[in-house]
Amino acid sequence: MFFVLSKIIWFLFSPVNLLILLAAVAALLAFTRFARPARWLGGFAMLGILVLSFSPLPRIIVRPLDNRFPQQEAARGPVAGVIVLGGAIGVARGDIVLNHAGARMTKAVELARLHPEARIVFTGGGANLLSPVIKTEADGAKLLFEGLGLPPERLVLEDKSRNTRENAIFTRDLVMPKPGERWLLLTSAWHMPRAMGVFRKAGFAVEAFPVDHLSGNEPADFFRPYREASLGLDIAQLAFKEWAGLVAYYAAGYTDALFPAP
């Protein structure tokens, strides 16, 4: 139920979707006796869209998430396994499709070669709400990893999880980590706080290895605008969703901290 509600609520109330909906409502009201308030509503919606599209605000919002868990030295000590969270890969027309979070997958291959003794665990099923899942993210991961030369016996594929909490629980039950083992958790930096929170709650001790940073951690983050509206809106959507996810997971008891820290 949490999975279904989270999808529906976010679709209806995500800031970007809401601003677009307000602009559409304003356009319809402009042809009625409510034309005057419609102009104010439309102006507010368009201003919000412009700010999220071109201003540095999305980068400012995502920056604390990006900075929460610093990337560590990859070669430090032996590694039992690398856990790669889904959200970066899919399958279309029989071939892999990578999105903006594709660094999760490429870094996994890099770590696999750096630590030849480590298992590479990919966790991700399908998060479709209205359509059936034909090919899971794990199917895409298998195609990519084996295509790049990783032997099948090193791969552990979990293909049932639909969200971060299920990633943690299903992976824990699948690999059964032993005390003292070192496991790296590989996901996007902006997603790492929530991911670490749920893995800790699940009793799976992992070390954060963030990639795919969306801010540069430099002064320019606070004033450099985006050159393309789609890029600003996409990062704004990701950042708002992650902050909302932190609140929702904490309220549901899936994490023990509102903003998990190292």
Side-chain angles (χ1 to χ4, degrees), residues 21-235:
L21 179 61
L22 289 177
V25 170
L28 293 174
L29 291 178
F31 298 96
T32 71
R33 60 191 180 91
F34 300 105
R36 183 178 178 82
R39 287 196 294 269
W40 284 100
L41 181 63
F44 170 78
M46 289 308 301
L47 178 61
I49 292 172
L50 286 171
V51 168
L52 295 182
S53 297
F54 297 110
S55 82
L57 182 61
R59 196 180 295 109
I60 294 170
I61 296 171
V62 83
R63 181 181 165 113
L65 295 165
D66 267 358
N67 290 349
R68 194 64 166 174
F69 285 85
Q71 192 178 88
Q72 57 189 286
E73 173 56 48
R76 180 178 59 82
V79 172
V82 178
I83 302 167
V84 188
L85 297 194
I89 194 168
V91 179
R93 305 190 184 196
D95 202 358
I96 62 169
V97 179
L98 293 174
N99 61 25
H100 57 80
R104 303 183 192 186
M105 310 304 296
T106 56
K107 182 60 72 170
V109 176
E110 180 183 332
L111 291 173
R113 291 171 177 168
L114 183 64
H115 297 282
E117 77 286 356
R119 285 184 284 172
I120 306 302
V121 183
F122 181 89
T123 169
N128 298 353
L129 190 58
L130 299 178
S131 59
V133 177
I134 305 301
K135 288 288 187 178
T136 66
E137 291 188 76
D139 292 324
K142 185 175 188 296
L143 284 173
L144 177 67
F145 290 150
E146 291 185 1
L148 292 177
L150 298 188
E153 59 270 18
R154 291 188 63 189
L155 303 179
V156 180
L157 304 172
E158 185 284 301
D159 62 359
K160 298 294 188 296
S161 57
R162 301 169 298 172
N163 57 28
T164 308
R165 179 174 182 261
E166 292 181 355
N167 288 153
I169 294 173
F170 296 170
T171 301
R172 177 201 63 194
D173 295 343
L174 183 62
V175 305
M176 294 183 293
K178 298 178 177 60
E181 287 184 334
R182 185 183 180 213
W183 290 83
L184 301 182
L185 180 61
L186 181 57
T187 189
S188 299
W190 45 268
H191 180 57
M192 188 60 78
R194 182 156 57 108
M196 287 297 293
V198 295
F199 270 81
R200 289 169 178 170
K201 182 72 173 183
F204 193 164
V206 293
E207 295 181 26
F209 200 94
V211 294
D212 181 36
H213 296 79
L214 296 178
S215 61
N217 197 29
E218 54 192 25
D221 286 343
F222 296 100
F223 60 83
R224 186 174 67 244
Y226 291 100
R227 291 176 292 179
E228 298 180 11
S230 59
L231 181 57
L233 289 175
D234 189 36
I235 293 177

